[in-house]
Amino acid sequence: MGKYAKVNTDVPGPKSQALLEKRKKYVPKGISNGCLAFAKNAKGALIEDIDGNTFIDFAGAIGTINVGHSHPKVVKAIQEQAENFIHTGFNVFLYDSYIELAEKLIELAPGDFPKQAAFFNSGAEAVENAVKIARKYTKRQGIISFTRGFHGRTLMTMTMTSKVKPYKYEFGPFAPEVYRAPYPYIYRRPDGMKEEQYSQYVIEQFENFLITDVDPNTIAAVVMEPVQGEGGFIIPDKAFVQRVRELCSQYGILFVADEIQTGFGRTGRYFAIDHFDVVPDLITISKSLAAGVPISGVIGRAEIMDAASPGEIGGTYAGSPLGCKAALAVLDIIESENLNNRAQEIGKKIMDKFNELESRFEQVDGSRGLGAMCAFEIVKDKKSKAPDKEAVGRIIEEAQNRGLLLLSAGIYSNVIRILVPLVITDEQLEEGLTILEQSIETVLEKQHV
Ligand SMILES: Cc1ncc(COP(=O)(O)O)c(C=O)c1O
């Protein structure tokens, strides 16, 4: 038992167990659950369950909680908004928070040109709308996404997503005119190839793809995660991202940065694409934008954003007042609490621990990070790099039993990724990393008995 992580029962505990019976009966299994405990309270980087257990949260609702759970400024913003009005429907009756949020995000987003922003509800919906806007503007239909990319679960975004199971399996037919391009994965580059050669190799693969797979003159947009999230926290090299941007400009293709998981401080910047010195035409945002209140958006060049006619984009709840106010509070918190810098500090501490784990364990490898977006792989051994998904499952379970919430990722599900709230204290972070280490130790050492 730690100072913060406190587990006094099995996980799930008896009260959660009782609710789980109902969950099994009334909620389909297609909606998965990582931890089977039920939440009672969550503040900062800690979640308390209904059985009185407390968990250090390294999952952050899959990257939604960069400013921490129930930050007082977010709570106040939502409360005040709910007192005034909950929803008028932006299409029906305007409210100023929508405009203020658009203005603030436009100031923060890269690109020294007139921009506009439109708001929606979920990440997938933002990507859907970026595609619609891009098609409207370019009058082209083709969309390029990348191997291992993840963009959501709607028909279009599922089509653009790369992992078959569980996201696409038996859900076809898929949307037409989506093409999948190669994306670098430095850790799993061909045997014997040097890192410097690999960058050029993938660039050539991408250039060939525009010859062998699709005519670039028919493509409306390339949609790229600046760091792949669900794909395993894969950080491409700058030259690749810049070359793709260059080719987009050459062929009149729009470059869309999907910043849904990478945005709002996760990598130490408001937008991860800034690390690559690339200016996208459109950016999709959601998740940590509003600390758990559902809202998403598309920001981009005004002439592109303005291509759709009235009524062609939008939605009943799109850009809700609660979402806009929560997002404004989040932007205030990131700035006033200096969370971009904090992400760098947190990232450094996490990477120090990962490097230590890599040197201790033959099965821990491929650690990488950009800001506080950090991950490593569990493999059978460093030579074969064979993914060990089962061990990851056991490590996550072991960590949960000790009061730490962890998430896996990657096409082989063998990556452990950290999406910890950036407001975590040093002490909490250290305790969480110690639990991670102990959990790895327990699981991997048992494997050898
Ligand atoms: C990069 C990226 N795009 C899109 C999505 C889809 O967002 P949502 O689940 O809110 O639809 C996600 C969700 O994980 C994501 O990481």
Side-chain angles (χ1 to χ4, degrees):
M1 195 102 64
K3 182 165 170 198
Y4 299 99
K6 292 187 169 53
V7 177
N8 301 300
T9 68
D10 287 340
V11 180
K15 288 184 183 159
S16 288
Q17 280 285 5
L19 278 176
L20 264 180
E21 291 308 309
K22 285 196 178 187
R23 183 255 176 267
K24 276 185 206 148
K25 191 167 171 194
Y26 298 124
V27 182
K29 64 180 180 313
I31 296 169
S32 66
N33 304 107
C35 179
L36 298 180
F38 283 70
K40 180 180 172 199
N41 223 300
K43 295 271 154 25
L46 302 177
I47 303 182
E48 192 192 330
D49 76 3
I50 54 174
D51 288 287
N53 302 312
T54 304
F55 301 83
I56 298 174
D57 185 7
F58 273 15
I62 324 183
T64 305
I65 310 293
N66 287 358
V67 302
H69 290 282
S70 294
H71 191 291
K73 282 187 178 170
V74 175
V75 173
K76 184 163 178 273
I78 299 169
Q79 277 172 343
E80 282 177 2
Q81 182 57 51
E83 290 281 336
N84 291 341
F85 59 94
I86 293 176
H87 200 58
T88 58
F90 192 71
N91 318 101
V92 177
F93 213 104
L94 291 141
Y95 36 90
D96 61 355
S97 53
Y98 192 115
I99 315 296
E100 196 186 336
L101 182 60
E103 191 180 6
K104 288 232 155 80
L105 289 169
I106 284 163
E107 274 167 28
L108 294 171
D112 191 15
F113 41 72
K115 280 168 264 171
Q116 291 186 332
F119 300 114
F120 306 98
N121 299 291
S122 66
E125 212 184 321
V127 176
E128 289 272 352
N129 278 281
V131 167
K132 278 175 70 179
I133 292 165
R135 284 178 167 169
K136 196 78 186 181
Y137 177 76
T138 59
K139 311 226 168 5
R140 299 173 177 181
Q141 294 183 355
I143 299 295
I144 293 176
S145 59
F146 291 88
T147 302
R148 291 180 311 276
F150 182 88
H151 301 285
R153 289 181 170 85
T154 57
L155 178 59
M156 185 64 188
T157 59
M158 168 182 69
T159 304
M160 290 163 66
T161 288
S162 186
K163 190 171 172 179
V164 177
K165 283 186 183 177
Y167 303 128
K168 306 173 77 143
Y169 185 60
E170 297 178 341
F171 286 129
F174 301 107
E177 287 306 309
V178 175
Y179 301 88
R180 186 137 331 97
Y183 185 103
Y185 190 171
I186 292 167
Y187 176 64
R188 294 191 179 276
R189 66 185 179 275
D191 260 358
M193 190 181 280
K194 292 208 176 81
E195 230 176 286
E196 315 83 77
Q197 294 172 306
Y198 181 60
S199 170
Q200 189 52 33
Y201 170 80
V202 186
I203 287 174
E204 278 165 25
Q205 278 192 326
F206 186 80
E207 289 168 348
N208 280 335
F209 161 84
L210 297 181
I211 298 167
T212 56
D213 285 58
V214 66
D215 172 6
N217 297 299
T218 65
I219 297 297
V222 162
V223 183
M224 180 194 282
E225 293 163 87
V227 177
Q228 289 188 325
E230 302 304 301
F233 281 23
I234 294 166
I235 308 165
D237 56 294
K238 207 169 176 174
F240 173 77
V241 184
Q242 292 188 341
R243 181 65 184 139
V244 172
R245 167 73 267 190
E246 211 171 80
L247 287 164
C248 283
S249 302
Q250 184 180 327
Y251 290 110
I253 300 169
L254 303 184
F255 184 104
V256 182
D258 183 345
E259 294 264 8
I260 287 163
Q261 192 157 157
T262 49
F264 304 102
R266 176 55 44 196
T267 69
R269 304 275 180 99
Y270 282 96
F271 300 98
I273 196 71
D274 282 339
H275 290 282
F276 301 90
D277 297 324
V278 157
V279 177
D281 297 299
L282 300 176
I283 302 174
T284 54
I285 51 174
S286 190
K287 289 194 184 272
S288 273
L289 168 63
V293 181
I295 185 169
S296 65
V298 182
I299 315 168
R301 283 183 190 274
E303 55 167 322
I304 300 169
M305 292 294 295
D306 230 9
S309 299
E312 289 182 344
I313 55 174
T316 303
Y317 293 112
S320 79
L322 293 172
C324 289
K325 281 287 192 187
L328 286 167
V330 164
L331 296 181
D332 171 27
I333 296 161
I334 295 177
E335 199 191 328
S336 59
E337 298 187 19
N338 218 348
L339 291 187
N340 281 317
N341 278 359
R342 181 65 185 147
Q344 303 283 5
E345 287 169 11
I346 288 174
K348 173 145 191 343
K349 286 177 198 287
I350 296 173
M351 289 309 294
D352 284 349
K353 176 58 81 179
F354 285 4
N355 290 331
E356 195 188 314
L357 294 174
E358 256 197 46
S359 57
R360 264 192 77 189
F361 297 99
E362 175 60 14
Q363 302 94 323
V364 176
D365 206 14
S367 55
R368 53 214 177 224
L370 191 61
M373 191 162 184
C374 307
F376 61 86
E377 306 210 8
I378 296 286
V379 291
K380 300 277 185 202
D381 58 82
K382 287 188 169 70
K383 187 161 189 314
S384 74
K385 297 183 178 178
D388 196 343
K389 171 182 167 177
E390 285 69 32
V392 166
R394 287 197 296 277
I395 292 166
I396 290 176
E397 197 185 329
E398 185 68 37
Q400 253 174 42
N401 291 335
R402 295 165 182 263
L404 174 70
L405 297 180
L406 285 177
L407 284 178
S408 65
I411 39 164
Y412 309 115
S413 307
N414 72 315
V415 174
I416 292 181
R417 59 171 154 173
I418 311 289
L419 286 165
V420 65
L422 304 173
V423 294
I424 193 165
T425 65
D426 282 345
E427 238 187 5
Q428 291 167 344
L429 181 64
E430 235 159 75
E431 189 173 312
L433 290 171
T434 304
I435 297 176
L436 173 65
E437 181 164 23
Q438 290 165 345
S439 307
I440 290 176
E441 224 167 59
T442 305
V443 169
L444 297 184
E445 274 165 15
K446 252 190 216 156
Q447 270 183 342
H448 290 114
V449 181

